[in-house]
Amino acid sequence: MLKYLTIGVLLGTTAGISPGPMLTLVISQSLRFGIREGIKIAFAPLLSDLPIVVISWIILSRVTGFDQLLGLISLAGGVFLIMLAVEGWRAEIDTTVTSLAAPRSLTRGLLANILNPHPWLFWLTVGAPTLISAGSPLNSTAYVTGFYLCLIGSKLIIATIVGYYRLRLNPQHHRFLLRALSSVLLLLAAQMILKGCGQICS
């Protein structure tokens, strides 16, 4: 059990702090709207990964042309990231977020995760095979628990830090950070679109 818990912790921590759309969204939403909205992004994989795992297994066992399908997912994800980047570039700090402000953080997090090819590749190549090799419900539970505790926990820590310090930034620094994050999203979008086109044409 300890072996699979350790594997889950290492994989979850690595995934949680790795640069990518989800980490960028955690930072940008925390910066724009505060800790609460960054936390919603952090919890998105907990809700969206289950259908990814199930669909990945169906694709793996029954569907041909997986590369083309993954390419379409990458293209859709790239377009979605461009939309978020444009919005972030135009945004200003929001110090009056209430329950009626509707920053839609959870929805954005769910879409960003589902339209990101990396969770699909992870569960097809590493996550699911490791889960199968665990061999017992206790080992599987330890692996999944360690993975999601560290995946979500690392993002929660980042959201808390960014959200805490966001109001201590002057407007110029705040605008610079938002636009820098938007630029990162654009680079990630370009990477996903180019990769998607390559997979579709292969």
Side-chain angles (χ1 to χ4, degrees), residues 98-139:
T98 66
S99 59
L100 299 178
R104 304 186 305 279
S105 298
L106 184 58
T107 300
R108 295 179 185 195
L110 292 172
L111 286 173
N113 197 51
I114 290 174
L115 295 176
N116 182 1
H118 293 121
W120 297 85
L121 288 172
F122 170 80
W123 282 106
L124 279 168
T125 59
V126 179
T130 304
L131 197 58
I132 292 173
S133 68
S136 73
L138 187 61
N139 288 339

Side-chain angles (χ1 to χ4, degrees), residues 14-198:
T14 302
I17 63 176
S18 295
M22 291 299 292
L23 183 61
T24 306
L25 275 178
V26 167
I27 296 172
S28 62
Q29 288 296 97
S30 300
L31 195 60
R32 288 182 63 192
F33 301 110
I35 296 173
R36 180 179 176 181
E37 300 307 314
I39 287 175
K40 291 179 182 179
I41 299 286
F43 274 104
L46 196 61
L47 301 175
S48 59
D49 273 10
L50 180 59
I52 289 176
V53 174
V54 173
I55 294 172
S56 296
W57 272 111
I58 294 173
I59 291 171
L60 191 63
S61 60
R62 300 182 182 180
V63 178
T64 58
F66 177 70
D67 284 343
Q68 285 72 26
L69 182 59
L70 200 60
L72 290 173
I73 293 172
S74 294
L75 286 177
V79 172
F80 179 64
L81 291 185
I82 289 173
M83 293 168 58
L84 292 180
V86 171
E87 181 180 320
W89 187 274
R90 297 173 176 173
E92 300 291 341
I93 190 168
D94 189 337
T95 61
T96 59
V97 173
T98 66
S99 59
L100 299 178
R104 304 186 305 279
S105 298
L106 184 58
T107 300
R108 295 179 185 195
L110 292 172
L111 286 173
N113 197 51
I114 290 174
L115 295 176
N116 182 1
H118 293 121
W120 297 85
L121 288 172
F122 170 80
W123 282 106
L124 279 168
T125 59
V126 179
T130 304
L131 197 58
I132 292 173
S133 68
S136 73
L138 187 61
N139 288 339
S140 298
T141 301
Y143 167 65
V144 172
T145 301
F147 179 80
Y148 280 106
L149 277 178
C150 291
L151 173 69
I152 295 171
S154 58
K155 286 182 168 56
L156 289 178
I157 292 172
I158 293 170
T160 301
I161 293 172
V162 174
Y164 178 78
Y165 284 104
R166 76 185 187 105
L167 296 180
R168 289 162 175 77
L169 296 172
N170 64 50
Q172 291 79 16
H173 290 162
H174 185 273
R175 188 177 299 108
F176 171 79
L177 285 176
L178 280 179
R179 292 186 173 180
L181 291 168
S182 296
S183 299
V184 171
L185 285 178
L186 284 176
L187 290 174
L188 292 169
Q191 182 183 41
M192 290 172 69
I193 290 173
L194 288 174
K195 185 175 181 179
C197 290

